[in-house]
Amino acid sequence: MKTIAVIGLKGGSSKSTTALHLAVSAEAAGLSVAVIDSDPQGSAYKWFERREAETPSIIREIDGDAFARLKGIAQKNGTDLLIVDTAGKAETTALAACEVADLVLVPIRPTQFDLETLSTVKRTVRIAERIDRTWVMLAQVPTGSNARRMVEEGEAAIQAYGLQLAPVRIATRAAFAYAMSQGLTATEFEPSGKAADEAEAVYRWISGLVDQTAKTTSELVDA
Ligand SMILES: Nc1ncnc2c1ncn2[C@@H]1O[C@H](COP(=O)(O)OP(=O)(O)OP(=O)(O)O)[C@@H](O)[C@H]1O
Ligand SMILES: [Mg+2]
């Protein structure tokens, strides 16, 4: 089983949207997936309540101290992928999520106010000893005329913080928001749309990284 923590210290940065898209794409690829919703607002859990499908499993747990135990249970239950969705501005929970994670994903909007929270994100992943397994992904990238400049500045800021930049990103697209409001993902709501393409690209990239982590781990075990 692999565990991905989706964190960020700014609210509304697409953490839950990203976590749920990853979960549904992984299920579509045949994996058994569970999501821990650690946000007291329960966005992921409420999304599931709006959902007709009975998967992915969503576990509500706001206490970061319980993550390791839940991870053990998920593993025993045959879960292949565990995703921990966290609240913004919840440093302690984010730290606990990172500590149980094989990979940490940080979706972030390419705006000054959001990017400057990366110093706290960096401190959190450093404390959890996950800095080498942390990737920052631009999210809610505008599609208008200034988009290119915002992407370039956002990418430069991420690298200036000494954090790894994800080679994929998601734009601001109505399909993401509509899908969430209906208990769906963009890949289900509008499979041939641009939002679905972006979500699939994020999943393909993440699953490649997970495979790489698995290899590195088995090499370490074999050595
Ligand atoms: N790429 C996108 N395009 C359009 N709308 C988006 C996109 N990503 C997220 N949204 C919308 O923006 C809002 C915030 O997204 P989301 O809930 O995923 O962020 P979050 O980081 O989990 O927020 P919080 O910090 O409150 O947990 C939601 O209403 C969601 O539907
Ligand atoms: Mg959220």
Side-chain angles (χ1 to χ4, degrees):
M1 186 182 82
K2 290 289 167 188
T3 305
I4 300 175
V6 185
I7 71 155
L9 297 170
K10 195 84 179 169
S13 62
S14 299
K15 295 179 292 296
S16 302
T17 300
T18 304
L20 295 170
H21 278 78
L22 282 176
V24 169
S25 292
E27 289 232 307
L31 302 186
S32 164
V33 184
V35 177
I36 297 178
D37 181 358
S38 66
D39 184 348
Q41 286 181 349
S43 305
Y45 189 77
K46 288 176 187 161
W47 168 85
F48 182 74
E49 285 185 327
R50 293 189 292 274
R51 187 167 171 79
E52 270 180 33
E54 286 171 9
T55 56
S57 311
I58 311 278
I59 305 151
R60 268 192 107 163
E61 179 54 75
I62 60 171
D63 180 4
D65 289 343
F67 292 167
R69 186 177 57 82
L70 290 178
K71 182 176 166 176
I73 294 171
Q75 193 146 20
K76 265 192 211 145
N77 289 346
T79 303
D80 301 305
L81 179 66
L82 177 66
I83 299 173
V84 189
D85 183 22
T86 59
K89 301 172 215 148
E91 220 175 318
T92 315
T93 319
L95 176 60
C98 291
E99 283 172 344
V100 296
D102 299 294
L103 287 178
V104 179
L105 183 59
V106 187
I108 194 156
R109 288 174 296 221
T111 65
Q112 178 67 27
F113 292 165
D114 289 58
L115 292 164
E116 59 198 18
T117 64
L118 286 177
S119 56
T120 318
V121 168
K122 185 174 179 180
R123 189 170 65 224
T124 304
V125 297
R126 253 197 189 147
I127 295 169
E129 299 180 353
R130 293 293 184 278
I131 194 156
D132 294 338
R133 302 192 204 174
T134 296
W135 299 82
V136 184
M137 179 188 82
L138 290 180
Q140 295 176 48
V141 176
T143 49
S145 54
N146 285 322
R148 194 183 181 83
R149 197 170 138 199
M150 286 186 81
V151 167
E152 282 168 7
E153 288 179 3
E155 291 182 347
I158 292 164
Q159 283 164 330
Y161 278 105
L163 289 161
Q164 300 182 99
L165 169 70
V168 289
R169 56 178 176 263
I170 59 172
T172 300
R173 300 193 189 278
F176 281 115
Y178 277 136
M180 289 290 109
S181 71
Q182 292 175 38
L184 297 169
T185 57
T187 40
E188 296 169 323
F189 173 74
E190 194 183 19
S192 54
K194 288 181 179 168
D197 286 351
E198 288 172 351
E200 285 302 332
V202 174
Y203 177 69
R204 273 197 305 277
W205 164 68
I206 281 280
S207 57
L209 269 186
V210 166
D211 286 350
Q212 236 172 296
T213 326
K215 271 188 209 130
T216 319
T217 314
S218 66
E219 275 160 22
L220 285 176
V221 173
D222 292 346

